[in-house]
Amino acid sequence: MPAYPLITWAVDHPWPTAGITAAALAVLGAALWATIRTARAINWPPAPVLVAGAGAVVCTAYSGDTSWRFAGERLGMVDDVERALMFGAGELALLACAVMARANKAATATDTTAGSAGVPGVLVWLITGVQVIPCYATSGIVGGTVRAVIGPILAGLLWHLAMGLEIRVARPEALSTGLPAVIGREVRERLLSRLGLATRDRTAEQITRDRATARAVHLAAVLEDRPGGWLAGYRKRRLAAAVARSGAGTSGEQRHRLLQQLAARRTSGQLATVPLASPWAGTPVPEDPYPRTPLGVTGAQLRTMDPLAVVHLVRAAHPEDTPAEVATLCTEYGVPVSETQVRVALRAGNSPSPSSVPALVGPVLDPVPVVPAGVRLLPVTCHRAEQRVPVFAAAGSRTRTVVHAEVPDPEPDDEYVPEPPAPEPDDVPDPDDEVPEGDRDVPDPDPLIEQARAEYGTDVPGVRALKSRYGIGQARAQRIRDALAAEAI
C-alpha cells in the first residue's frame, strides 16, 4: 500500500491517528519491558565468559569460511545446497563438544577443584587439529597459517577458556584437574625447583644470599676434606667471595643459616650410626588410651598455648590461689612451670623468705666465761642504738638495765674493756679500695639513698652489691646501707 494515501488519511483524521499511534507505542513499550525483564531474569554467565564465547563464535565462523572453500575446491561439492548442509559439520561438532565439555566441568567442579571436561574436551582439540588441514590445502603455507591460527586454533582456545573461565571467576582458588593442567603444574614446579626458585616471595637480594650461602657451605666442606692441593688457594678465594656475598657478616639470621648448614654437612656421617627405635617393636595402641575427661580436654587446649598465657588463664580462674598453687595447677594441666615463672608472669615479685629458727638438735651447753677471773666489770648499759656496739658506763647515764659486780680491786691495768664486734664480710674494707671521684663532696643526705630505697624496697642490700651497682666506694656504700637498715628497723 502506498504511503501517500496513509499520510493523507492521517491528516484528514487526526484523532484516530493519534489513538492508533499511542496504542502502537504502548504495545512496543510493553514488549520492550517484557524483553528486558526476561533478559534480567536469565542467569547469565559472567561478562568475561560472554566475551570469550563471542570471540569463539567469530573464530568458528572464520573457520567455517575455510571449510566452505575446501568443500568446493577439494571435496567436489559443486551443488550449493549440498555444500550448505555439509561444510559446517566440523564447526557444528566443535560447538557441540565445547558445550558438552562446559557442562562436564560445571558438574564435576568442587570448592577446591575446577572439574574436568572429560571426553568432549579432548574432542575439541582433536577437531581443531583436523580443521587445520583445510587451511593449508586452501591457502598455502602463509595464508594457511593465518587461517589456521585465526580460525580453528583460536576458536579452540577461546572455547576452552570460555568453558573454565566461569568456574575460575566463581572460585579463583579452584585448580583444574585435567591432564594438560596437571602436567603443566608439575613441569612448572620442577623447573622452579631446578632453578633454585622453589621458595616464593623472596627478593633478588635474598635469592643471591641463599645461593652464596649454599656455595660457601659446599666450598667449606670440600676444603675440610681436601685442605691441600693446587686448587686449595682457588677454593679459599671462592669461599671468601661466597661468604661476603651471602651477607653472613652483617646478618645474624644468614650467619645462623650458614653455620647450621655447614654443621649438618660436616656431621652427616653420623647419620649411619645414630641409634633409632625400631618401628616394629611398638606396643599396640588401645582403642581409647586417653579418655575425654574435662581435665584432659582443658590440658590439650592449654598445651597448645604459650606458658605465660596459660598462667594468666589459670590465675583468672583461681584468683585466690598463691603463685605456688597456680604453678601446681599448670603442671597438672600438662604445662610445667615453676613458682618463679608464675611470679614473673603475674609480676608478683619475689616470695618473702620466712626467718625460721632451726630446731635444736642437742642440749644447750653453758656459755664459756669470757671475763677472766679477778677482773672488775664496769656498769654496762644495754640498749638498742644505731651503732651496734656496747656503751660504757662512762659514756652516758645509767638506765634501768644495769649489771653490777663486786670483785676485789685489782691494778688499774687489769681493767677489762669489751672489744667491738667483728665487722660483717661486706663491711670489711678493701685495702686497695680507692675513693671514686663521685664520692667526694657528696651532699647530705646522699641522693643515692632515695634511689636505693626505690629499687630495693624493704630489702637491705649488702655493701658489695651497692658498690657494684652504683660504682661507689666502701665508705659511701656503708652509709647508704646503714640508712636503709635504720629505716627497715
Side-chain angles (χ1 to χ4, degrees):
M1 184 176 181
Y4 181 76
L6 292 177
I7 296 174
T8 303
W9 184 87
V11 172
D12 295 338
H13 306 81
W15 291 107
T17 302
I20 295 173
T21 304
L25 291 177
V27 171
L28 183 61
L32 182 61
W33 177 78
T35 303
I36 294 176
R37 186 174 180 180
T38 304
R40 288 181 177 179
I42 297 176
N43 188 13
W44 294 96
V49 178
L50 296 177
V51 174
V57 170
V58 174
C59 292
T60 303
Y62 195 93
S63 177
D65 178 75
T66 303
S67 298
W68 174 272
R69 295 175 184 272
F70 183 78
E73 297 175 2
R74 297 288 183 175
L75 301 181
M77 296 181 183
V78 294
D79 188 8
D80 294 340
V81 178
E82 181 183 8
R83 290 174 66 183
L85 294 176
M86 299 299 177
F87 87 98
E91 283 71 19
L92 185 60
L94 178 64
L95 180 61
C97 290
V99 173
M100 289 188 293
R102 181 181 180 277
N104 282 348
K105 289 182 71 69
T108 58
T110 61
D111 292 337
T112 57
T113 59
S116 176
V119 177
V122 178
L123 291 178
V124 167
W125 293 109
L126 182 61
I127 295 173
T128 300
V130 173
Q131 285 182 330
V132 172
I133 299 175
C135 297
Y136 287 100
T138 303
S139 303
I141 299 297
V142 179
T145 302
V146 175
R147 282 183 175 272
V149 171
I150 300 179
I153 294 178
L154 197 55
L157 288 174
L158 289 176
W159 282 123
H160 175 77
L161 293 176
M163 286 185 295
L165 192 58
E166 181 178 1
I167 300 175
R168 291 294 180 86
V169 171
R171 290 184 292 273
E173 69 279 359
L175 298 177
S176 178
T177 57
L179 182 61
V182 173
I183 294 176
R185 285 199 299 269
E186 293 296 330
V187 171
R188 180 188 61 187
E189 296 297 333
R190 282 163 172 75
L191 181 61
L192 292 176
S193 176
R194 186 65 179 173
L195 296 177
L197 303 175
T199 305
R200 310 295 173 82
D201 299 331
R202 291 186 303 169
T203 61
E205 181 183 5
Q206 187 62 36
I207 294 175
T208 303
R209 288 184 174 183
D210 293 343
R211 290 180 177 177
T213 300
R215 191 179 302 111
V217 170
H218 171 70
L219 292 174
V222 172
L223 283 175
E224 182 189 13
D225 295 337
R226 297 189 294 272
W230 60 280
L231 289 177
Y234 173 69
R235 291 195 182 103
K236 290 180 180 179
R237 290 192 297 270
R238 289 186 61 194
L239 175 60
V243 171
R245 194 176 295 111
S246 67
T250 57
S251 175
E253 181 181 357
Q254 203 71 24
R255 179 167 57 252
H256 175 73
R257 187 181 293 113
L258 172 63
L259 295 178
Q260 290 295 321
Q261 293 180 9
L262 182 59
R265 182 156 181 171
R266 285 184 176 179
T267 59
S268 59
Q270 299 178 4
L271 287 175
T273 58
V274 170
L276 298 174
S278 175
W280 319 115
T283 57
V285 180
E287 295 182 358
D288 192 9
Y290 304 105
R292 302 290 290 179
T293 60
L295 180 62
V297 174
T298 306
Q301 294 178 355
L302 293 179
R303 282 191 293 272
T304 61
M305 301 171 58
D306 185 79
L308 297 182
V310 174
V311 170
H312 285 284
L313 289 178
V314 174
R315 182 56 182 271
H318 304 275
E320 71 282 355
D321 291 353
T322 62
E325 294 173 347
V326 172
T328 303
L329 288 175
C330 292
T331 305
E332 292 178 358
Y333 284 123
V335 184
V337 294
S338 63
E339 181 182 357
T340 304
Q341 290 177 326
V342 174
R343 291 183 176 277
V344 171
L346 301 179
R347 298 182 179 180
N350 297 327
S351 59
S353 56
S355 57
S356 58
V357 179
L360 298 177
V361 296
V364 180
L365 302 178
D366 295 332
V368 179
V370 296
V371 180
V375 176
R376 180 170 60 86
L377 291 177
L378 297 177
V380 179
T381 302
C382 299
H383 63 89
R384 187 180 298 274
E386 294 183 0
Q387 296 183 355
R388 299 178 183 178
V389 296
V391 180
F392 302 102
S397 61
R398 290 185 179 182
T399 60
R400 289 180 297 175
T401 307
V402 179
V403 180
H404 303 278
E406 298 295 336
V407 295
D409 293 334
E411 296 294 331
D413 297 334
D414 296 335
E415 185 176 0
Y416 175 73
V417 179
E419 297 180 359
E424 296 179 1
D426 287 343
D427 296 338
V428 177
D430 190 358
D432 298 332
D433 190 10
E434 297 181 1
V435 179
E437 292 293 335
D439 290 357
R440 299 174 182 176
D441 300 331
V442 178
D444 189 15
D446 196 334
L448 288 181
I449 296 177
E450 294 296 330
Q451 183 177 354
R453 184 183 299 111
E455 293 179 358
Y456 290 97
T458 58
D459 297 334
V460 180
V463 174
R464 188 171 301 170
L466 293 173
K467 289 172 60 179
S468 61
R469 184 174 185 85
Y470 299 113
I472 58 179
Q474 178 79 16
R476 190 178 182 184
Q478 287 181 351
R479 291 196 300 270
I480 296 175
R481 198 276 311 274
D482 294 339
L484 296 177
E487 293 178 0
I489 293 173

